[in-house]
Amino acid sequence: MKPELKLPGIAYGGDYNPEQWPEEVWAEDMRLMREAGVTMVSVGIFSWALLEPAEGEYDFSRMDKILGLLHDNGIAADLATPTAAPPAWFFRRHPEALPVDRDGRRLSYGSRQTFCPSSPAYRRAALRITRAIADRYAGHPAVAMWHVHNEYGCHNAECYCDTSAEAFRGWLRSRYEDLAALNEAWGTTFWSQWYYDWDEILPPRPTGAVPNPTHQLDWRRFCSDELLSLYVAERDVLGAAAPSIPATTNFMVMYNFDALDYWRWAPHLDVLSNDHYLRSTDPESEIDIALSGDLMRSLAGGPWLLMEHSTGAVNWQPVNRAKGPGELRRNALAHVARGADGIAYFQWRAAKAGAEQWHSAMLPHAGTDSRIWQDVVRLGADLRALAEVRDSAGTAEVAVVWDWNARWALELPSQPSGELRFLDLVRDWYEPLWRAGVAVDFVRPDADLSSYRLVLAPSLYLVDEAGAANLTSFARRGGVLAVGFHSGAVDENCHVRLGGYPGAFREVLGVRGDELFPLLPGESVGLTGEVTPGATGTLWSERVRTEGARVVATYTEGPLSGRPAITRNAYGEGVAWYVATRPDPATLGALLDRIRSEAGVEPVRTTPEGVEAALRRGSDADYLFLIDHSGRGGEVAVSDGATELLTGKPVGDGSVTVPAGGVVVVREPRQ
Ligand code: GAL
């Protein structure tokens, strides 16, 4: 049994960095945290230089006071290991622990996360400070959770130094055992890349022409595993000192961060947590939040914690947009709707100095006489009202296949099109489901699919035999499967499956392609058939013929005119759809509606356009979250005996009003 976070209700707080402020400020922090209803804060994340002023010499006086103060005020600590930011003294002694970027430049210290993940000196130093913290605070009553490191790989996912090269070779040796197997897997007869000695193998440093794809893919796998081994080493130290305190590390499953294979990481965490920030350029960030939350709930197999997001603008985008009226509340409660049992911000008090001085916080520069502070206090009250939602889970009948190996491989150079982006392709398919209020889980290709009616694989370029067989047998046994273009093309070594496209899924889809016709940026082709007039495809097309499947739509023009673009195949007890292009959003939306009704999947609730619906299932009640993004609000039907949790009022007449830009959470007792 993994240790659990023993806090009542939905945790509320943020990163707390009191070391940046004189002690007089701390008392005010405590008073205001209580006013806002803060229950847990993350402390010490970047405190290494203060905790260990010189190698092996510790100064815990400040941390003792901080933890004491938190405890006295009834606020739990998510106590960090400060290993994301080694002090300057460490690098002066170990300059070899500084990372080398892809262009061969050794970086300097002076910010954070500038260390080589494979450096033995870094590992020793990180475990030494971790042990010192574990020994001192394992029994401290304020410590509710360990916050291991911070956002592994955010700035240093890859290091190309000689030490990393050596570690990469070690990782390859345990994967392949002998060089012949590696040469086979990497296809090194190509371009005279054959290796005769392990020492010949380097990280994929810049080279004259396109590097070997499998080499690059294994490099991504190695980099993820290397950081994971650092996490596991710290967690083991903490776990040995305090077996009942859970450990987490904050993931970044979205904002285009794809350095870590979180399916491999998730089993090693006691509690899963995530950081999520809006991108100013995304006009519908609410979809990004939902996708991220669904992915987190899927990784966690249940509730998880939102470890960081922002009350307003961040400081790291070209232009950092503030949030609009009600957006802070909508954002936070949307994460809860997708399974977050804790809501936290970066950070508690806005910094006046340092690289993040222009990042928003719970307590802004302006102080409590500010809209953000009012929103923060209100959110604290909202989360208290939602306490009973804790531990409730999702209810999805639709699974979307998500795989980091497939993502990495799809985005390697030298694809038929350099325009393919995994996240965009997944979001294309996720969006219509979100708009329709359909609950979605994310799954690995080899997951147990028995609880789903519909499985979607929008982009699964790389899939191994086990994954492909699993998806195929899902359809054979009566499920509805839909697969996006260029899926199943290569195996786990990035080798093309021969005999026609889409490789691994030819049989289940009942189609065979013999040539790929990617489209240029801005180019589109018309579609006709069981689609609305004016339907188009962009990005991709391929010459496909059916081998058992029925043609649903064909191209109207170009070299593939009259050829299938969308097909449907009755397979075993089930059905398998192939979407061989990127349909325009309306066409894809209509197609997915059709596929979903064929699978018998209903939305969690029908709502007016722009009102998001998500459901968490508790032991004796369902919790329906309704969030208006349209600015119009609307009426939504709810079941008898329902209660509005945020207001505490019973629902009188079988429906609730979602105010414009507002949020309503309804407890519906289960009959
Ligand atoms: C996160 C990081 C925080 C802070 C925040 C700013 O990536 O974990 O420490 O830098 O971004 O948005």
PDB file of all heavy atoms in Angstrom, residues 34-48:
ATOM      1  N   ARG A  34      -4.628  31.882   6.521  1.00  0.00           N
ATOM      2  CA  ARG A  34      -5.833  31.423   7.231  1.00  0.00           C
ATOM      3  C   ARG A  34      -7.071  32.102   6.650  1.00  0.00           C
ATOM      4  O   ARG A  34      -8.112  31.479   6.451  1.00  0.00           O
ATOM      5  CB  ARG A  34      -5.699  31.685   8.729  1.00  0.00           C
ATOM      6  CG  ARG A  34      -4.739  30.701   9.403  1.00  0.00           C
ATOM      7  CD  ARG A  34      -5.100  30.477  10.866  1.00  0.00           C
ATOM      8  NE  ARG A  34      -5.399  31.737  11.523  1.00  0.00           N
ATOM      9  CZ  ARG A  34      -4.505  32.487  12.175  1.00  0.00           C
ATOM     10  NH1 ARG A  34      -3.269  32.067  12.302  1.00  0.00           N
ATOM     11  NH2 ARG A  34      -4.863  33.619  12.725  1.00  0.00           N
ATOM     12  N   GLU A  35      -6.935  33.376   6.355  1.00  0.00           N
ATOM     13  CA  GLU A  35      -8.082  34.100   5.777  1.00  0.00           C
ATOM     14  C   GLU A  35      -8.510  33.472   4.439  1.00  0.00           C
ATOM     15  O   GLU A  35      -9.695  33.376   4.130  1.00  0.00           O
ATOM     16  CB  GLU A  35      -7.702  35.570   5.561  1.00  0.00           C
ATOM     17  CG  GLU A  35      -8.854  36.420   5.056  1.00  0.00           C
ATOM     18  CD  GLU A  35      -8.440  37.890   4.875  1.00  0.00           C
ATOM     19  OE1 GLU A  35      -7.635  38.391   5.690  1.00  0.00           O
ATOM     20  OE2 GLU A  35      -8.907  38.510   3.898  1.00  0.00           O
ATOM     21  N   ALA A  36      -7.529  33.031   3.656  1.00  0.00           N
ATOM     22  CA  ALA A  36      -7.852  32.459   2.343  1.00  0.00           C
ATOM     23  C   ALA A  36      -8.259  30.992   2.428  1.00  0.00           C
ATOM     24  O   ALA A  36      -8.706  30.417   1.446  1.00  0.00           O
ATOM     25  CB  ALA A  36      -6.656  32.606   1.411  1.00  0.00           C
ATOM     26  N   GLY A  37      -8.069  30.384   3.604  1.00  0.00           N
ATOM     27  CA  GLY A  37      -8.413  28.964   3.726  1.00  0.00           C
ATOM     28  C   GLY A  37      -7.340  28.034   3.195  1.00  0.00           C
ATOM     29  O   GLY A  37      -7.631  26.892   2.810  1.00  0.00           O
ATOM     30  N   VAL A  38      -6.100  28.505   3.180  1.00  0.00           N
ATOM     31  CA  VAL A  38      -4.992  27.664   2.704  1.00  0.00           C
ATOM     32  C   VAL A  38      -4.775  26.501   3.679  1.00  0.00           C
ATOM     33  O   VAL A  38      -4.773  26.696   4.897  1.00  0.00           O
ATOM     34  CB  VAL A  38      -3.708  28.520   2.573  1.00  0.00           C
ATOM     35  CG1 VAL A  38      -2.473  27.654   2.471  1.00  0.00           C
ATOM     36  CG2 VAL A  38      -3.828  29.438   1.357  1.00  0.00           C
ATOM     37  N   THR A  39      -4.610  25.297   3.128  1.00  0.00           N
ATOM     38  CA  THR A  39      -4.419  24.127   4.004  1.00  0.00           C
ATOM     39  C   THR A  39      -3.062  23.462   3.826  1.00  0.00           C
ATOM     40  O   THR A  39      -2.638  22.695   4.682  1.00  0.00           O
ATOM     41  CB  THR A  39      -5.509  23.061   3.746  1.00  0.00           C
ATOM     42  OG1 THR A  39      -5.434  22.652   2.375  1.00  0.00           O
ATOM     43  CG2 THR A  39      -6.896  23.608   4.045  1.00  0.00           C
ATOM     44  N   MET A  40      -2.399  23.700   2.701  1.00  0.00           N
ATOM     45  CA  MET A  40      -1.084  23.061   2.500  1.00  0.00           C
ATOM     46  C   MET A  40      -0.246  23.941   1.574  1.00  0.00           C
ATOM     47  O   MET A  40      -0.740  24.424   0.555  1.00  0.00           O
ATOM     48  CB  MET A  40      -1.232  21.676   1.880  1.00  0.00           C
ATOM     49  CG  MET A  40       0.112  20.966   1.674  1.00  0.00           C
ATOM     50  SD  MET A  40      -0.053  19.220   1.225  1.00  0.00           S
ATOM     51  CE  MET A  40      -0.579  19.346  -0.468  1.00  0.00           C
ATOM     52  N   VAL A  41       1.025  24.107   1.924  1.00  0.00           N
ATOM     53  CA  VAL A  41       1.929  24.865   1.035  1.00  0.00           C
ATOM     54  C   VAL A  41       3.189  24.041   0.779  1.00  0.00           C
ATOM     55  O   VAL A  41       3.591  23.216   1.607  1.00  0.00           O
ATOM     56  CB  VAL A  41       2.314  26.240   1.641  1.00  0.00           C
ATOM     57  CG1 VAL A  41       1.124  27.178   1.645  1.00  0.00           C
ATOM     58  CG2 VAL A  41       2.894  26.096   3.041  1.00  0.00           C
ATOM     59  N   SER A  42       3.785  24.284  -0.380  1.00  0.00           N
ATOM     60  CA  SER A  42       5.044  23.609  -0.727  1.00  0.00           C
ATOM     61  C   SER A  42       6.187  24.513  -0.288  1.00  0.00           C
ATOM     62  O   SER A  42       6.239  25.684  -0.688  1.00  0.00           O
ATOM     63  CB  SER A  42       5.129  23.379  -2.232  1.00  0.00           C
ATOM     64  OG  SER A  42       4.055  22.564  -2.643  1.00  0.00           O
ATOM     65  N   VAL A  43       7.070  23.979   0.521  1.00  0.00           N
ATOM     66  CA  VAL A  43       8.160  24.812   1.048  1.00  0.00           C
ATOM     67  C   VAL A  43       9.520  24.212   0.714  1.00  0.00           C
ATOM     68  O   VAL A  43       9.679  22.993   0.623  1.00  0.00           O
ATOM     69  CB  VAL A  43       8.057  25.014   2.583  1.00  0.00           C
ATOM     70  CG1 VAL A  43       7.016  26.049   2.920  1.00  0.00           C
ATOM     71  CG2 VAL A  43       7.802  23.713   3.309  1.00  0.00           C
ATOM     72  N   GLY A  44      10.481  25.106   0.552  1.00  0.00           N
ATOM     73  CA  GLY A  44      11.879  24.690   0.433  1.00  0.00           C
ATOM     74  C   GLY A  44      12.303  24.274  -0.964  1.00  0.00           C
ATOM     75  O   GLY A  44      13.400  23.731  -1.138  1.00  0.00           O
ATOM     76  N   ILE A  45      11.469  24.533  -1.962  1.00  0.00           N
ATOM     77  CA  ILE A  45      11.763  23.989  -3.297  1.00  0.00           C
ATOM     78  C   ILE A  45      13.112  24.501  -3.824  1.00  0.00           C
ATOM     79  O   ILE A  45      13.870  23.750  -4.417  1.00  0.00           O
ATOM     80  CB  ILE A  45      10.628  24.316  -4.291  1.00  0.00           C
ATOM     81  CG1 ILE A  45       9.323  23.678  -3.822  1.00  0.00           C
ATOM     82  CG2 ILE A  45      10.973  23.806  -5.691  1.00  0.00           C
ATOM     83  CD1 ILE A  45       8.120  23.963  -4.702  1.00  0.00           C
ATOM     84  N   PHE A  46      13.382  25.768  -3.563  1.00  0.00           N
ATOM     85  CA  PHE A  46      14.651  26.319  -4.083  1.00  0.00           C
ATOM     86  C   PHE A  46      15.543  26.805  -2.936  1.00  0.00           C
ATOM     87  O   PHE A  46      16.193  27.834  -3.038  1.00  0.00           O
ATOM     88  CB  PHE A  46      14.355  27.432  -5.098  1.00  0.00           C
ATOM     89  CG  PHE A  46      13.587  26.922  -6.291  1.00  0.00           C
ATOM     90  CD1 PHE A  46      12.259  27.241  -6.484  1.00  0.00           C
ATOM     91  CD2 PHE A  46      14.193  26.063  -7.208  1.00  0.00           C
ATOM     92  CE1 PHE A  46      11.548  26.735  -7.571  1.00  0.00           C
ATOM     93  CE2 PHE A  46      13.495  25.556  -8.304  1.00  0.00           C
ATOM     94  CZ  PHE A  46      12.175  25.900  -8.483  1.00  0.00           C
ATOM     95  N   SER A  47      15.594  26.032  -1.867  1.00  0.00           N
ATOM     96  CA  SER A  47      16.286  26.492  -0.652  1.00  0.00           C
ATOM     97  C   SER A  47      17.665  25.883  -0.447  1.00  0.00           C
ATOM     98  O   SER A  47      18.254  26.056   0.626  1.00  0.00           O
ATOM     99  CB  SER A  47      15.443  26.154   0.582  1.00  0.00           C
ATOM    100  OG  SER A  47      14.372  27.017   0.674  1.00  0.00           O
ATOM    101  N   TRP A  48      18.173  25.174  -1.397  1.00  0.00           N
ATOM    102  CA  TRP A  48      19.417  24.423  -1.154  1.00  0.00           C
ATOM    103  C   TRP A  48      20.538  25.328  -0.633  1.00  0.00           C
ATOM    104  O   TRP A  48      21.197  25.029   0.368  1.00  0.00           O
ATOM    105  CB  TRP A  48      19.845  23.697  -2.436  1.00  0.00           C
ATOM    106  CG  TRP A  48      20.876  22.630  -2.252  1.00  0.00           C
ATOM    107  CD1 TRP A  48      21.685  22.414  -1.152  1.00  0.00           C
ATOM    108  CD2 TRP A  48      21.208  21.602  -3.190  1.00  0.00           C
ATOM    109  NE1 TRP A  48      22.500  21.329  -1.351  1.00  0.00           N
ATOM    110  CE2 TRP A  48      22.226  20.802  -2.613  1.00  0.00           C
ATOM    111  CE3 TRP A  48      20.763  21.261  -4.462  1.00  0.00           C
ATOM    112  CZ2 TRP A  48      22.791  19.703  -3.273  1.00  0.00           C
ATOM    113  CZ3 TRP A  48      21.330  20.163  -5.116  1.00  0.00           C
ATOM    114  CH2 TRP A  48      22.332  19.389  -4.529  1.00  0.00           C
TER     115      TRP A  48
END
